Amino acid sequence: NLFVSSMERVQLSKDLTFQKIFSVLIFVVLIAVMAGSGVNIWYVTAICAVAAYVGYSTIYQADNIEFDKDYMYISTRNDEVSASLAEVYVIKLTMTQLNRQRMWKVKYKIDGIEKAARFFPSSSPALDEFIQNVQAKNPDVKVSYSTNSFDLDS
């Protein structure tokens, strides 16, 4: 148990800085190797498009999330949004996977507007504590530990 007070924040999402840098390097090397080997430019373009989509959907789509007893804090490049844990209504596992770790999705409301955040958990205890804190604030939250569909909804 992490014992979180309303003043302490716990990192819920995993830091993906290394994966982001590594994916860009792999992408550049892939283009260089394919361009230097005389492969048809359309093949290079198609492979790069698929690699870009997969990279975006697994790494760049993940949000930086922290939480405390009352709120979760979603950080983007430009700002930070806080949402009450009482406004979280879905926590679910997705099919997206990176290094044998699954991405999770949190659906919540801010001023009645439905929003979603995706993350790779920093640790199992942090995820467990987050779920417990949300359930304490919203007993009706839907928590799903399994999935059988692609994460296509917002």
Side-chain angles (χ1 to χ4, degrees):
N1 193 355
L2 297 176
F3 183 71
V4 182
S5 75
S6 61
M7 299 303 288
E8 298 175 29
R9 289 188 185 186
V10 174
Q11 184 69 36
L12 178 61
S13 58
K14 185 176 187 177
D15 181 11
L16 297 175
T17 304
F18 172 78
Q19 287 85 350
K20 290 177 182 179
I21 293 169
F22 186 72
S23 68
V24 170
L25 290 175
I26 292 295
F27 188 66
V28 169
V29 168
L30 178 67
I31 291 172
V33 167
M34 292 179 75
S37 67
V39 175
N40 184 321
I41 191 67
W42 293 109
Y43 292 135
V44 173
T45 303
I47 289 172
C48 290
V50 169
Y53 174 75
V54 169
Y56 169 77
S57 65
T58 58
I59 297 173
Y60 289 94
Q61 194 176 22
D63 294 301
N64 183 30
I65 303 172
E66 297 177 317
F67 70 95
D68 61 24
K69 247 172 82 172
D70 302 307
Y71 292 92
M72 70 175 179
Y73 307 90
I74 302 120
S75 300
T76 63
R77 290 182 187 184
N78 302 327
D79 64 348
E80 181 180 274
V81 176
S82 61
S84 170
L85 295 183
E87 295 296 319
V88 173
Y89 62 94
V90 172
I91 304 170
K92 72 176 197 171
L93 186 65
T94 71
M95 290 182 73
T96 304
Q97 188 171 333
L98 177 67
N99 296 332
R100 293 187 214 126
Q101 187 176 25
R102 290 282 181 90
M103 181 180 274
W104 286 76
K105 180 193 272 188
V106 177
K107 291 184 179 183
Y108 59 97
K109 294 179 184 177
I110 295 180
D111 297 328
I113 299 171
E114 295 181 356
K115 299 183 178 266
R118 292 167 180 82
F119 66 96
F120 291 98
S122 60
S123 68
S124 291
L127 178 61
D128 294 342
E129 187 75 22
F130 175 71
I131 291 170
Q132 290 172 6
N133 287 356
V134 171
Q135 288 172 330
K137 297 291 183 183
N138 179 6
D140 296 327
V141 64
K142 180 182 174 192
V143 180
S144 177
Y145 293 93
S146 62
T147 185
N148 58 2
S149 65
F150 289 103
D151 182 33
L152 300 176
D153 56 323
S154 59

